Amino acid sequence: MQWLQGQPVLVLDEGSSKVKLEGLAAGAGPGLVRDAEADSTRLRRALSLLPVRSWPAEVDDALAGVIQRGAAPSSALRELAEQRRLPWLLVRSESGLRLETTRSAEILWQLKLEGKAALKRVVGRLMRAIEGTAPSREAGPVRVSQTRLAPPEVLASLRLEAVEGSGPDHLKQAQSAVQRWPADPAVRVHEVLASSPGSPELAALKLAHALNPLGESELLALALLAEQRARDSRALRWRGLLSALYPKRIDYLPALADQLAAHGDRDAAVALLRSGGALVDSGLRKLPSGTAPHQRPEALPAADLRFYLAWFLAAGGGWELAAHNYLEAEQLYERLGRPVERGDALNNAGVAMVEVGRPLAAMSSLRRAVALREAHRGPERVATSRYNLARAAADAGRHAQALEAYAEAASDYDRAGRLEEGSETLIERLELLARQGKIGPLERAAEGLFQRLGSEPSELLANLWTELGRGRHLLGAHEAALIAHQRALALWKGLGSRLEEGQSLYLAALPQVALMRLDEAHHSLIAALRIAVELGDSSSMVAIRDQLGLLGQLIKVQGGEVPAVEPELRIWLEPPAP
């Protein structure tokens, strides 16, 4: 099993009524026997010197929640393991130990045990199988079958102290642990971190990791625990060290990029992911469909790298490159049989293509996203993709398809219990109904929404009146449009939403001009300007100034006199100096 060296695995204990591993609580003293009730945490600790990357499930709440003592790995556990890019499970069963694939449960290696089996012999045989050494010797920097390891409860205490405690207490515990278990790599990592918590020396950490250079670092467990406990600055520091110690492990990079972006350094996140992309084998582009993760364990992390790079590019407005990277990721996900990730990548690629003005290409991507999410996701994700499809269809001028997609998205949101999002989607749909050029469908849809929302004042109700006013104005029903905007204005005032109040005043001026109520329109625009100045809303000030200029010209053409503007507002009506 030399191919397993340095690869990520999940160690599990199914429990057993027949087999006992003598000394399973490593380091706890001679003669202690842990029988069928020994849990996966103790087994992982006992096997932690093997040259494989054993995932620290004991600090992964979601994964630990589906590990059932005495039961074979469930489909839910296998899915969570694959989401963590763990292609193999190393399982203790009634008959001994076995290595199997996460996805298909194909058994690749077995070690049969009967009666009492000394743990040191089991570990030794595993080590020889993985390193391919002769039965008479062990390779590696330490003789793992003779190395005493700190028990799980000691390591758990050290981790908690590192994440939540004070520096002196962590140092005291770590130094005490090193005295008892000097060859335990995890304990050595804690000693280095506790000795200089702000800036641990990379050389000292490398020395600690040299005890098992192909294993998983204790830094990963600490980072996971810190993230779950919202200790983000510590998580960032430990993930940075993890990446520095193992620069070729690209599966570490997305989580580090997340932390960098959360700390306000999106550019560093993008640079990190791009540097990781340079390590990806270009031959993965020719990966045949149906490839299982255990056949090319580096492939899923490579797809994730593309996906995360696209995410951060999109966050910075780099939509074209984001779309390209999302589609590159989708191709790998398809070949590796990951439909959930495929749906996410296609959805996000569609959004990016809408942003760069390619709505027809976006529609193709989003239709596939809808199909995948219908098969593998809940109604909320389906609704999101249908909504994005509606936006793309509207931009492409496919109004009938857009109207249908909006209605289906609202229905999906309702099925997901997201009634507010469903209402927002139906309100947005009103604009397209108005573009159809017939007021009847618009009014009927609005009436249905009024019944849905009720009469209780709310932002949704105010938005409904606003969109109805826009639609009526577009269709030439100016008197009805003005009534709608006045209803919206009253609601926004009652809700204390000054920005939206100003927007309603601005919108009310449009039908007032169409009805030739020019003085009323001027009054509405000045009131809107007053709110914009109060809020420092410069974009609204510019729009209002332009409208007042046009309105003033119209008043003069009609033989009227432009109303005077109070001095404190007059300055905002003057164009900026060249």
Side-chain angles (χ1 to χ4, degrees):
M1 293 197 296
Q2 296 97 314
W3 47 267
L4 195 61
Q5 292 184 32
Q7 297 294 344
V9 300
L10 177 61
V11 176
L12 298 169
D13 189 348
E14 288 180 352
S16 169
S17 59
K18 299 178 181 178
V19 177
K20 297 181 179 181
L21 293 182
E22 190 174 18
L24 189 56
L32 179 63
V33 176
R34 295 283 179 176
D35 57 14
E37 295 182 356
D39 60 15
S40 299
T41 300
R42 292 193 175 278
L43 183 60
R44 277 190 294 276
R45 186 87 275 262
L47 304 181
S48 62
L49 280 180
L50 294 177
V52 296
R53 296 172 54 191
S54 176
W55 183 264
E58 63 273 14
V59 295
D60 183 340
D61 288 347
L63 190 58
V66 298
I67 296 176
Q68 298 179 349
R69 176 179 291 172
S74 64
S75 58
L77 186 149
R78 292 182 185 278
E79 173 59 22
L80 286 176
E82 194 160 314
Q83 287 175 14
R84 284 148 180 77
R85 309 319 186 208
L86 305 173
W88 298 279
L89 306 180
L90 182 58
V91 186
R92 175 195 172 222
S93 65
E94 288 193 357
S95 59
L97 294 174
R98 70 177 185 273
L99 181 74
E100 64 181 49
T101 61
T102 299
R103 177 173 293 183
S104 60
E106 177 187 357
I107 297 176
L108 305 176
W109 177 88
Q110 291 188 85
L111 175 62
K112 292 189 178 297
L113 303 172
E114 295 181 1
K116 291 184 179 181
L119 179 62
K120 64 181 182 180
R121 291 200 302 272
V122 173
V123 173
R125 290 178 66 179
L126 270 170
M127 174 65 83
R128 291 192 293 273
I130 294 171
E131 293 201 332
T133 54
S136 60
R137 61 181 292 271
E138 285 185 20
V142 295
R143 294 181 64 84
V144 299
S145 62
Q146 298 178 10
T147 299
R148 297 173 67 249
L149 298 171
E153 54 269 23
V154 170
L155 193 56
S157 178
L158 282 168
R159 288 169 175 172
L160 190 60
E161 196 62 50
V163 172
E164 299 281 10
S166 64
D169 288 342
H170 185 212
L171 179 60
K172 183 178 179 180
Q173 284 193 30
Q175 289 175 336
S176 175
V178 165
Q179 293 298 316
R180 297 187 63 186
W181 302 285
D184 189 324
V187 169
R188 285 290 185 182
V189 167
H190 280 277
E191 181 192 32
V192 175
L193 294 178
S195 298
S196 51
S199 55
E201 293 185 8
L202 199 60
L205 283 171
K206 286 180 178 179
L207 187 61
H209 285 89
L211 294 170
N212 186 11
L214 296 176
E216 189 55 87
S217 171
E218 173 67 4
L219 288 167
L220 177 61
L222 288 172
L224 288 171
L225 187 59
E227 286 162 353
Q228 288 178 169
R229 292 174 173 263
R231 297 293 188 265
D232 291 336
S233 60
R234 297 186 184 192
L236 172 61
R237 182 164 63 251
W238 292 331
R239 285 203 176 275
L241 289 169
L242 194 59
S243 182
L245 284 166
Y246 296 101
K248 293 185 178 180
R249 292 183 180 179
I250 62 172
D251 54 308
Y252 290 154
L253 300 183
L256 175 55
D258 263 344
Q259 285 292 342
L260 287 168
H263 284 77
D265 202 347
R266 188 194 63 83
D267 290 343
V270 170
L272 175 76
L273 294 169
R274 280 178 165 156
S275 67
L279 301 173
V280 173
D281 180 4
S282 60
L284 289 177
R285 293 183 177 180
K286 299 178 181 179
L287 200 68
S289 291
T291 300
H294 70 273
Q295 294 170 324
R296 292 297 297 271
E298 75 278 21
L300 273 176
D304 295 337
L305 204 66
R306 287 284 193 184
F307 186 96
Y308 273 78
L309 177 57
W311 176 271
F312 288 114
L313 287 169
W319 295 106
E320 189 70 58
L321 280 175
H324 171 76
N325 279 280
Y326 277 131
L327 292 176
E328 289 271 320
E330 185 270 331
Q331 290 177 10
L332 278 174
Y333 288 138
E334 186 275 330
R335 291 163 186 166
L336 290 159
R338 294 298 302 173
V340 171
E341 288 91 336
R342 275 191 71 201
D344 292 345
L346 286 166
N347 176 79
N348 294 2
V351 172
M353 286 186 279
V354 168
E355 293 292 336
V356 295
R358 294 163 53 197
L360 289 175
M363 288 178 67
S364 174
S365 181
L366 289 163
R367 285 194 189 100
R368 289 190 289 156
V370 168
L372 283 165
R373 287 181 158 186
E374 280 185 315
H376 302 283
R377 286 283 209 173
E380 184 177 351
R381 293 300 181 98
V382 177
T384 300
S385 289
R386 285 199 201 278
Y387 171 82
N388 292 330
L389 176 59
R391 284 186 57 216
D395 285 1
R398 308 291 178 86
H399 292 172
Q401 295 177 48
L403 287 169
E404 181 181 4
Y406 272 127
E408 290 176 343
S411 177
D412 289 328
Y413 278 129
D414 287 350
R415 286 194 299 113
R418 306 296 293 268
L419 301 182
E420 184 172 334
E421 284 88 341
S423 297
E424 289 172 344
T425 301
L426 291 173
I427 290 171
E428 188 171 330
R429 185 172 179 265
L430 295 179
E431 180 185 353
L432 275 181
L433 286 170
R435 288 191 206 173
Q436 298 289 85
K438 296 181 180 179
I439 199 165
L442 172 69
E443 294 291 347
R444 286 193 293 273
E447 182 59 32
L449 277 164
F450 283 124
Q451 293 177 10
R452 175 185 174 110
L453 297 178
S455 58
E456 188 70 23
S458 66
E459 290 187 4
L460 282 174
L461 189 58
N463 278 324
L464 172 54
W465 279 115
T466 298
E467 290 305 318
L468 182 56
R470 290 176 188 270
R472 286 172 172 176
H473 177 65
L474 182 65
L475 293 170
H478 303 305
E479 192 71 56
L482 181 57
I483 292 172
H485 286 309
Q486 288 170 341
R487 293 283 185 87
L489 176 61
L491 284 167
W492 290 125
K493 280 185 177 180
L495 294 168
S497 301
R498 292 289 281 167
L499 178 63
E500 288 79 7
E501 184 182 339
Q503 290 173 346
S504 289
L505 286 163
Y506 178 87
L507 291 171
L510 302 180
Q512 285 169 338
V513 170
L515 294 166
M516 297 305 291
R517 300 178 187 176
L518 304 185
D519 286 346
E520 291 180 21
H522 190 274
H523 181 271
S524 294
L525 288 172
I526 291 298
L529 177 62
R530 187 175 293 108
I531 292 174
V533 171
E534 171 194 325
L535 299 177
D537 183 2
S538 57
S539 59
S540 292
M541 290 184 220
V542 172
I544 294 167
R545 185 187 68 207
D546 292 345
Q547 287 296 320
L548 281 169
L550 294 172
L551 179 59
Q553 295 175 21
L554 182 58
I555 291 173
K556 290 177 181 178
V557 168
Q558 294 296 315
E561 184 176 341
V562 179
V565 178
E566 53 204 81
E568 60 268 25
L569 292 179
R570 196 177 303 141
I571 186 175
W572 302 105
L573 298 179
E574 299 172 0

